[in-house]
Amino acid sequence: MTSGQRPSPPSARIAAVHSLDDYLPRPGLSVPVVTILDARGRLLEDQQRAVVRFALQDGAGADIIFAAGTTGEWDRIDNNRRQAVARIAIEECRRARASAAKKIEAWACITAHTRAETLDNLTHALHAGADAVVVAPLSIKDIEHPVDFVEREIGAVFNRTGRMLPLFLYENPDIAAPGKSPHLHTREVKAMARLPYVRGIKVTASKTVIGNYARAASNFKAGHEFAIYAGNAHLIFDLFAPPEGVADRMRHYWNRYLTQRTRPYGVVAGPANAMPREWQRAWQVCRSGDVELMRLYASAIDEFRVAGAFKRGARAYRPTIATLKASLKDMGVIDSDAVGAGTPALSDAERREFSARFAVLRERNAEMLEPGWVSELEASAGHAPISKRKSAGRNG
């Protein structure tokens, strides 16, 4: 190399290290699992395993377990606990693959507050056997240029360890670090989509933003598939709805224009922690365009959102993570519904009100939804099953 010549970027050097040519992004339901803590903020490993098993529902739930993401309170726990949560998810998905009739993947979110911790998490995920990793570049405080970080620094880890993992970008304006743009620029997504290991993006944003990213990545699908996952999970009922009347046809064609005719590859649904079977079936009926069933599951899923909404004074209050943990405790999946320091919590009165609402929701789902598509605590989760009530005969 001559003096002053710029070295090859790591992404080019690792091309011969470990090929991902045969990898296709996993479609379907991704469940970003909550992190189970005790009152002192310590990780409860047995209960964390139970949450993963509940999300999998013996193959009827998640296609992907997404560990240590926003719903997992990555920004409320230290790096050792982030890595432990990822390890548990990887181990439980590996165990489930031995008996499941479908492919199940474990994705480790490697995002931390600093670049050093993020890269350490990447190394940990490689050694632990993750199927893929997820990174939110805009949430890392000391990263100025996302493209350089993903290409050069992440690429250097792959080069050093001798293998690559599929990497998915994570776009969520709610967790952008102070002073950072809320969204990745389209040109940045376009540049990162060229890299051999960047295989998609999880977008918690509007249809317009999803369309911008679809447009940015469309030129590179000849090299490898670049998948878009809807992080604003309820959008799937809109994006997949077939046209019926005149107004629906206009909305349908407008959706296709906004999203560049690219429908989401999958859905990342935080509420699926509490309703993995319901969300799996919702994804299936959306993909098939079954209008009647789409309406049925949209209603059931929206009820959970309504059940978790409160008012404090004149302001709306929606402590999503707290209600997810409360629902899992009410079903007997976990014993502790404590949230991390700084995570919005339920008051005692709100906790009682949520339990009452959730019980009504569960009874309604048992009566209204298709047999086998109401989530239940599996005996393999290590807890005594909850009362089946009216659902006892439904799942046969």
Side-chain angles (χ1 to χ4, degrees), residues 126-159:
L126 278 159
H127 292 313
D131 295 296
V133 292
V134 184
V135 67
L138 297 177
S139 299
I140 306 168
K141 294 177 181 177
D142 55 354
I143 296 298
E144 291 185 25
H145 305 292
V147 177
D148 284 350
F149 175 71
V150 170
E151 179 174 9
R152 296 188 171 276
E153 299 192 52
I154 287 181
V157 173
F158 289 149
N159 183 55

CSV table of all heavy atoms in Angstrom, one decimal, residues 126-159:
chain,number,residue,atom,x,y,z
A,126,LEU,N,-21.6,-12.9,19.1
A,126,LEU,CA,-20.9,-13.8,18.2
A,126,LEU,C,-20.6,-15.1,18.9
A,126,LEU,O,-20.8,-16.2,18.4
A,126,LEU,CB,-19.7,-13.2,17.6
A,126,LEU,CG,-19.9,-12.2,16.4
A,126,LEU,CD1,-18.7,-11.3,16.3
A,126,LEU,CD2,-20.0,-13.0,15.1
A,127,HIS,N,-20.0,-15.0,20.1
A,127,HIS,CA,-19.5,-16.2,20.8
A,127,HIS,C,-20.7,-17.0,21.4
A,127,HIS,O,-20.6,-18.2,21.5
A,127,HIS,CB,-18.6,-15.8,22.0
A,127,HIS,CG,-17.3,-15.3,21.5
A,127,HIS,ND1,-16.5,-15.9,20.5
A,127,HIS,CD2,-16.6,-14.1,21.8
A,127,HIS,CE1,-15.4,-15.2,20.3
A,127,HIS,NE2,-15.4,-14.2,21.0
A,128,ALA,N,-21.8,-16.3,21.7
A,128,ALA,CA,-23.0,-16.9,22.3
A,128,ALA,C,-23.8,-17.7,21.3
A,128,ALA,O,-24.6,-18.5,21.7
A,128,ALA,CB,-23.8,-15.9,23.1
A,129,GLY,N,-23.6,-17.4,20.0
A,129,GLY,CA,-24.4,-18.1,19.0
A,129,GLY,C,-25.6,-17.4,18.5
A,129,GLY,O,-26.6,-18.1,18.1
A,130,ALA,N,-25.7,-16.1,18.6
A,130,ALA,CA,-26.9,-15.4,18.1
A,130,ALA,C,-27.1,-15.6,16.6
A,130,ALA,O,-26.2,-15.8,15.9
A,130,ALA,CB,-26.8,-13.9,18.4
A,131,ASP,N,-28.4,-15.6,16.2
A,131,ASP,CA,-28.7,-15.8,14.8
A,131,ASP,C,-28.5,-14.5,14.0
A,131,ASP,O,-28.3,-14.5,12.8
A,131,ASP,CB,-30.1,-16.3,14.6
A,131,ASP,CG,-30.3,-17.7,15.2
A,131,ASP,OD1,-29.6,-18.6,14.6
A,131,ASP,OD2,-31.0,-17.9,16.1
A,132,ALA,N,-28.7,-13.4,14.7
A,132,ALA,CA,-28.5,-12.0,14.1
A,132,ALA,C,-28.3,-11.0,15.3
A,132,ALA,O,-28.6,-11.3,16.4
A,132,ALA,CB,-29.7,-11.7,13.3
A,133,VAL,N,-27.9,-9.8,14.9
A,133,VAL,CA,-27.7,-8.8,15.9
A,133,VAL,C,-28.5,-7.6,15.4
A,133,VAL,O,-28.7,-7.4,14.2
A,133,VAL,CB,-26.3,-8.4,16.2
A,133,VAL,CG1,-25.6,-9.6,17.0
A,133,VAL,CG2,-25.5,-8.1,14.9
A,134,VAL,N,-28.9,-6.7,16.3
A,134,VAL,CA,-29.6,-5.5,16.0
A,134,VAL,C,-28.9,-4.3,16.7
A,134,VAL,O,-28.5,-4.4,17.8
A,134,VAL,CB,-31.0,-5.6,16.6
A,134,VAL,CG1,-31.9,-4.3,16.2
A,134,VAL,CG2,-31.7,-6.9,16.1
A,135,VAL,N,-28.8,-3.2,16.0
A,135,VAL,CA,-28.1,-2.0,16.5
A,135,VAL,C,-28.9,-0.8,16.2
A,135,VAL,O,-29.4,-0.6,15.0
A,135,VAL,CB,-26.6,-1.9,16.1
A,135,VAL,CG1,-26.5,-1.6,14.6
A,135,VAL,CG2,-25.9,-0.9,16.9
A,136,ALA,N,-29.0,0.1,17.1
A,136,ALA,CA,-29.6,1.4,16.9
A,136,ALA,C,-28.5,2.5,17.0
A,136,ALA,O,-28.2,3.0,18.1
A,136,ALA,CB,-30.7,1.7,18.0
A,137,PRO,N,-27.9,2.8,15.9
A,137,PRO,CA,-26.7,3.7,15.9
A,137,PRO,C,-27.0,5.1,16.5
A,137,PRO,O,-26.1,5.6,17.2
A,137,PRO,CB,-26.3,3.9,14.4
A,137,PRO,CG,-26.9,2.7,13.7
A,137,PRO,CD,-28.2,2.4,14.5
A,138,LEU,N,-28.2,5.6,16.4
A,138,LEU,CA,-28.5,6.9,16.9
A,138,LEU,C,-28.7,6.9,18.4
A,138,LEU,O,-28.8,8.0,19.0
A,138,LEU,CB,-29.8,7.4,16.2
A,138,LEU,CG,-29.7,7.7,14.7
A,138,LEU,CD1,-31.0,8.1,14.1
A,138,LEU,CD2,-28.6,8.7,14.3
A,139,SER,N,-28.7,5.8,19.0
A,139,SER,CA,-28.9,5.7,20.5
A,139,SER,C,-27.5,5.6,21.2
A,139,SER,O,-27.5,5.7,22.4
A,139,SER,CB,-29.7,4.5,20.9
A,139,SER,OG,-31.0,4.6,20.3
A,140,ILE,N,-26.4,5.5,20.4
A,140,ILE,CA,-25.1,5.4,21.0
A,140,ILE,C,-24.5,6.8,21.1
A,140,ILE,O,-24.3,7.5,20.1
A,140,ILE,CB,-24.2,4.5,20.2
A,140,ILE,CG1,-24.9,3.1,20.0
A,140,ILE,CG2,-22.9,4.3,20.8
A,140,ILE,CD1,-24.3,2.2,18.9
A,141,LYS,N,-24.2,7.2,22.4
A,141,LYS,CA,-23.9,8.6,22.6
A,141,LYS,C,-22.7,9.1,21.9
A,141,LYS,O,-22.6,10.2,21.5
A,141,LYS,CB,-23.8,8.8,24.1
A,141,LYS,CG,-25.1,8.6,24.9
A,141,LYS,CD,-25.0,8.8,26.4
A,141,LYS,CE,-26.3,8.6,27.1
A,141,LYS,NZ,-26.1,8.7,28.6
A,142,ASP,N,-21.7,8.3,21.8
A,142,ASP,CA,-20.4,8.7,21.3
A,142,ASP,C,-20.1,8.3,19.8
A,142,ASP,O,-19.0,8.2,19.4
A,142,ASP,CB,-19.2,8.3,22.2
A,142,ASP,CG,-19.2,6.8,22.4
A,142,ASP,OD1,-20.1,6.1,22.0
A,142,ASP,OD2,-18.2,6.3,23.0
A,143,ILE,N,-21.2,8.1,19.1
A,143,ILE,CA,-21.1,7.8,17.7
A,143,ILE,C,-21.6,9.0,16.9
A,143,ILE,O,-22.7,9.5,17.1
A,143,ILE,CB,-22.0,6.6,17.3
A,143,ILE,CG1,-21.6,5.3,18.0
A,143,ILE,CG2,-22.1,6.4,15.8
A,143,ILE,CD1,-20.2,4.9,17.6
A,144,GLU,N,-20.7,9.5,16.1
A,144,GLU,CA,-21.0,10.7,15.3
A,144,GLU,C,-21.5,10.3,13.9
A,144,GLU,O,-22.4,11.0,13.3
A,144,GLU,CB,-19.8,11.6,15.1
A,144,GLU,CG,-19.4,12.3,16.4
A,144,GLU,CD,-18.3,13.3,16.2
A,144,GLU,OE1,-18.2,13.8,15.1
A,144,GLU,OE2,-17.6,13.6,17.2
A,145,HIS,N,-20.9,9.3,13.3
A,145,HIS,CA,-21.2,8.9,11.9
A,145,HIS,C,-21.7,7.5,11.9
A,145,HIS,O,-20.8,6.6,11.9
A,145,HIS,CB,-20.0,9.1,11.0
A,145,HIS,CG,-19.5,10.5,11.1
A,145,HIS,ND1,-20.2,11.6,10.6
A,145,HIS,CD2,-18.3,11.0,11.6
A,145,HIS,CE1,-19.5,12.7,10.7
A,145,HIS,NE2,-18.4,12.4,11.4
A,146,PRO,N,-23.0,7.2,11.8
A,146,PRO,CA,-23.5,5.8,11.9
A,146,PRO,C,-22.9,4.9,10.8
A,146,PRO,O,-22.6,3.8,11.1
A,146,PRO,CB,-25.0,6.0,11.7
A,146,PRO,CG,-25.3,7.4,12.2
A,146,PRO,CD,-24.1,8.2,11.8
A,147,VAL,N,-22.7,5.4,9.6
A,147,VAL,CA,-22.3,4.6,8.5
A,147,VAL,C,-20.8,4.1,8.8
A,147,VAL,O,-20.5,2.9,8.7
A,147,VAL,CB,-22.3,5.3,7.2
A,147,VAL,CG1,-21.7,4.5,6.1
A,147,VAL,CG2,-23.8,5.7,6.8
A,148,ASP,N,-20.0,5.1,9.2
A,148,ASP,CA,-18.6,4.7,9.5
A,148,ASP,C,-18.5,3.7,10.7
A,148,ASP,O,-17.7,2.7,10.6
A,148,ASP,CB,-17.8,5.9,9.9
A,148,ASP,CG,-17.4,6.8,8.7
A,148,ASP,OD1,-17.6,6.3,7.6
A,148,ASP,OD2,-16.9,7.9,8.9
A,149,PHE,N,-19.4,3.8,11.7
A,149,PHE,CA,-19.4,2.9,12.8
A,149,PHE,C,-19.8,1.5,12.4
A,149,PHE,O,-19.1,0.5,12.7
A,149,PHE,CB,-20.3,3.4,13.9
A,149,PHE,CG,-20.5,2.4,15.1
A,149,PHE,CD1,-19.4,2.2,15.9
A,149,PHE,CD2,-21.6,1.7,15.2
A,149,PHE,CE1,-19.6,1.3,17.0
A,149,PHE,CE2,-21.8,0.8,16.3
A,149,PHE,CZ,-20.7,0.6,17.2
A,150,VAL,N,-20.9,1.4,11.6
A,150,VAL,CA,-21.4,0.1,11.2
A,150,VAL,C,-20.4,-0.5,10.2
A,150,VAL,O,-20.2,-1.7,10.3
A,150,VAL,CB,-22.8,0.3,10.6
A,150,VAL,CG1,-23.3,-1.0,9.9
A,150,VAL,CG2,-23.8,0.7,11.6
A,151,GLU,N,-19.8,0.3,9.3
A,151,GLU,CA,-18.9,-0.3,8.3
A,151,GLU,C,-17.6,-0.6,8.9
A,151,GLU,O,-17.1,-1.8,8.7
A,151,GLU,CB,-18.8,0.6,7.1
A,151,GLU,CG,-17.8,0.1,6.0
A,151,GLU,CD,-17.8,0.9,4.8
A,151,GLU,OE1,-18.3,2.0,4.8
A,151,GLU,OE2,-17.2,0.4,3.8
A,152,ARG,N,-16.9,0.3,9.5
A,152,ARG,CA,-15.5,0.1,9.9
A,152,ARG,C,-15.4,-0.5,11.3
A,152,ARG,O,-14.6,-1.5,11.4
A,152,ARG,CB,-14.8,1.5,9.9
A,152,ARG,CG,-14.8,2.1,8.5
A,152,ARG,CD,-13.9,3.3,8.5
A,152,ARG,NE,-13.8,3.7,7.1
A,152,ARG,CZ,-12.9,3.2,6.2
A,152,ARG,NH1,-12.0,2.2,6.7
A,152,ARG,NH2,-12.8,3.5,5.0
A,153,GLU,N,-16.2,-0.1,12.3
A,153,GLU,CA,-15.9,-0.7,13.6
A,153,GLU,C,-16.6,-2.0,13.8
A,153,GLU,O,-16.0,-2.9,14.4
A,153,GLU,CB,-16.3,0.4,14.7
A,153,GLU,CG,-15.5,1.7,14.6
A,153,GLU,CD,-15.7,2.6,15.7
A,153,GLU,OE1,-15.5,2.1,16.9
A,153,GLU,OE2,-16.0,3.8,15.5
A,154,ILE,N,-17.9,-2.1,13.4
A,154,ILE,CA,-18.5,-3.4,13.4
A,154,ILE,C,-17.8,-4.4,12.5
A,154,ILE,O,-17.6,-5.5,12.8
A,154,ILE,CB,-20.0,-3.3,13.2
A,154,ILE,CG1,-20.7,-2.6,14.4
A,154,ILE,CG2,-20.7,-4.6,12.8
A,154,ILE,CD1,-22.2,-2.4,14.3
A,155,GLY,N,-17.5,-3.9,11.3
A,155,GLY,CA,-16.8,-4.7,10.3
A,155,GLY,C,-15.5,-5.2,10.9
A,155,GLY,O,-15.1,-6.4,10.6
A,156,ALA,N,-14.8,-4.4,11.7
A,156,ALA,CA,-13.5,-4.8,12.2
A,156,ALA,C,-13.7,-6.0,13.2
A,156,ALA,O,-12.8,-6.8,13.3
A,156,ALA,CB,-12.8,-3.6,12.9
A,157,VAL,N,-14.8,-6.0,14.0
A,157,VAL,CA,-15.1,-7.1,14.9
A,157,VAL,C,-15.3,-8.3,14.1
A,157,VAL,O,-14.8,-9.4,14.5
A,157,VAL,CB,-16.3,-6.7,15.8
A,157,VAL,CG1,-16.7,-8.0,16.6
A,157,VAL,CG2,-16.0,-5.6,16.7
A,158,PHE,N,-16.1,-8.3,13.1
A,158,PHE,CA,-16.3,-9.5,12.2
A,158,PHE,C,-15.0,-10.0,11.7
A,158,PHE,O,-14.7,-11.2,11.6
A,158,PHE,CB,-17.3,-9.1,11.1
A,158,PHE,CG,-18.7,-8.9,11.5
A,158,PHE,CD1,-19.5,-8.1,10.8
A,158,PHE,CD2,-19.2,-9.6,12.6
A,158,PHE,CE1,-20.8,-7.9,11.2
A,158,PHE,CE2,-20.5,-9.4,13.0
A,158,PHE,CZ,-21.3,-8.5,12.3
A,159,ASN,N,-14.1,-9.0,11.2
A,159,ASN,CA,-12.8,-9.4,10.7
A,159,ASN,C,-11.9,-10.1,11.7
A,159,ASN,O,-11.3,-11.1,11.5
A,159,ASN,CB,-12.1,-8.2,10.1
A,159,ASN,CG,-10.8,-8.5,9.4
A,159,ASN,OD1,-10.7,-9.4,8.5
A,159,ASN,ND2,-9.7,-7.9,9.9
